Amino acid sequence: GGARGDAVVISDFLDPRGAATGLQALALRGVRTDLCRISAPGEFELPPPGAVLRDPESGAYAPVPRDAAARAALTDALATHRAALGEAARRHRAPLVEISSDQGLSAALEGYFRRIAGARGLA
């Protein structure tokens, strides 16, 4: 039969372990899953060289490299991580909706549900 349930995963999806394992677990249980990534404007842009970044989960601080090759490696790693989420979402037929954190909650939720309805062919 059809889906045994529905799930909406709301996250920034920045966990270095990725989302593929969680999506696989939901799919194996027959759960239809929708993904909502909330991110701040500019969150995926590398700050200027020498800026200090703070990991909100661990509290650790790290300087942004000044070396062009190291900066390019970080940019590539982030792009690879984001692409892996997109690939996992496609593989598990889980629509991925991007929502910006700079809008109000009601506007963000309205945009999310409008996009999910469109992705599910309900609009």
Side-chain angles (χ1 to χ4, degrees):
R4 294 174 58 195
D6 293 320
V8 176
V9 180
I10 301 171
S11 176
D12 61 8
F13 293 104
L14 290 176
D15 187 320
R17 296 170 292 184
T21 302
L23 284 172
Q24 175 84 20
L26 290 166
L28 288 172
R29 288 169 179 77
V31 176
R32 185 177 74 181
T33 306
D34 297 325
L35 306 176
C36 179
R37 179 184 1 231
I38 299 178
S39 58
E43 184 170 2
F44 300 112
E45 298 169 12
L46 197 57
V52 177
L53 298 176
R54 180 180 174 276
D55 180 345
E57 279 83 22
S58 71
Y61 289 88
V64 175
R66 294 181 185 280
D67 176 75
R71 290 177 61 79
L74 282 174
T75 300
D76 289 347
L78 181 57
T80 298
H81 180 76
R82 293 183 75 195
L85 174 62
E87 176 55 34
R90 281 186 292 282
R91 188 171 48 252
H92 295 290
R93 295 185 186 100
L96 173 60
V97 173
E98 304 274 349
I99 298 292
S100 177
S101 66
D102 67 345
Q103 56 186 314
L105 180 60
S106 61
L109 290 174
E110 180 182 325
Y112 168 75
F113 286 113
R114 186 175 49 252
R115 290 183 193 126
I116 285 296
R120 295 272 181 218
L122 304 173

